[in-house]
Amino acid sequence: MTISPMKIVRLGGGSAVRGTVDIKAVAEGADVSQKAVKAAVKDLKVEGVSAVFKGLSGREAADATGKTGSDIRAALLAAYGPGPRGGLVNVAVAAKGEGKSASTIKRWIAGKAEPKPDNLNHLLAAARKAASTKSGRTTVVNARLATPAGAKMKKYGARLIVSGIQGREGYERDRTVTWDLPPDLAEDAMKAFEKGGDVGLADFMADYANTDNYSNLDDWNVFSFDHVALDEKAK
């Protein structure tokens, strides 16, 4: 039986992002096993981590879930970033990271060959670590800030767009918030992501909501992340 995210938050409260959902309450209220609830909450967490990674890294086509069945190109993009001249994947970096030749990586990207099971497991783990480890996030943050888009962000700020189940604690619903951030706050959002990943961004959002910029709400809760974007401003 599939349990909807809204049912989970209504019955169990807390946050899938922070791992604070009352699993027992959801299981009893929905008449399902605790195992099923844990699996559903874990999936929300995994997908949310990837969504935050895509939005803050600027790698929108990436897949950092590390799930079996992930698109190979999306996993390569998550793990190794885009090519220096506009290519989807940095082939040289991917070849080094995967211990394969550049031609093999190109065949994977083109769909002309598939990684063997051991290679696939290594790739999926690398994609997952890019989002779930501090070192991985530091690499992608530095890479983004070194781009022309990063330069604009530092000069003009950015627009943070977050879709997911969020709101004042106890009143969360599926919604999208759009916040225009000046350069210092755009940098703070990136630093929060670098330090704490999805939890770091949720912390940043809670702090931002509790300012004059967003009605001084002192109990903003992000239950789950569905889509995230941090788009640089042109001026």
Side-chain angles (χ1 to χ4, degrees):
M1 176 182 177
T2 302
I3 313 168
S4 74
M6 282 304 305
K7 177 171 281 189
I8 293 173
V9 72
R10 290 290 172 255
L11 293 173
S15 168
V17 174
R18 301 179 186 280
T20 55
V21 176
D22 187 333
I23 301 296
K24 183 178 179 181
V26 178
E28 292 177 350
D31 193 24
V32 298
S33 69
Q34 291 190 34
K35 181 179 180 180
V37 178
K38 288 179 181 178
V41 172
K42 180 181 179 180
D43 192 59
L44 288 170
K45 170 72 174 181
V46 170
E47 291 291 343
V49 168
S50 186
V52 172
F53 173 84
K54 290 191 287 186
L56 276 292
S57 69
R59 301 176 185 180
E60 296 179 6
D63 184 341
T65 63
K67 289 182 176 180
T68 301
S70 297
D71 181 82
I72 299 302
R73 292 172 297 180
L76 284 166
L77 176 60
Y80 303 112
R85 290 180 291 277
L88 176 65
V89 174
N90 191 320
V91 173
V93 174
K96 182 177 180 179
E98 292 300 309
K100 296 294 179 181
S101 66
S103 60
T104 294
I105 299 299
K106 289 178 180 178
R107 287 198 297 272
W108 289 0
I109 294 170
K112 295 180 179 179
E114 294 184 358
K116 294 179 180 179
D118 287 348
N119 299 135
L120 179 60
N121 289 337
H122 183 276
L123 170 58
L124 294 178
R128 184 171 58 249
K129 289 176 182 177
S132 64
T133 66
K134 173 71 159 47
S135 60
R137 294 191 298 270
T138 297
T139 297
V140 299
V141 166
N142 289 341
R144 177 147 199 212
L145 293 178
T147 65
K152 288 181 180 179
M153 199 179 298
K154 293 176 185 177
K155 186 173 183 179
Y156 302 115
R159 177 165 293 152
L160 177 64
I161 305 169
V162 176
S163 298
I165 298 176
Q166 57 188 318
R168 302 195 69 172
E169 193 168 359
Y171 297 93
E172 299 92 343
R173 63 178 175 82
D174 196 353
R175 73 178 84 206
T176 297
V177 297
T178 302
W179 294 341
D180 285 321
L181 307 178
D184 60 329
L185 289 182
E187 181 180 2
D188 286 349
M190 292 290 281
K191 286 182 177 179
F193 162 68
E194 179 182 359
K195 181 179 180 180
D198 60 329
V199 175
L201 182 61
D203 287 343
F204 170 84
M205 293 180 69
D207 290 342
Y208 183 88
N210 193 22
T211 66
D212 291 340
N213 294 312
Y214 206 68
S215 303
N216 294 293
L217 303 178
D218 63 359
D219 57 354
W220 192 262
N221 180 45
V222 179
F223 177 79
S224 62
F225 287 107
D226 293 334
H227 174 77
V228 177
L230 188 66
D231 298 329
E232 72 281 359
K233 296 179 182 177
K235 61 180 180 178

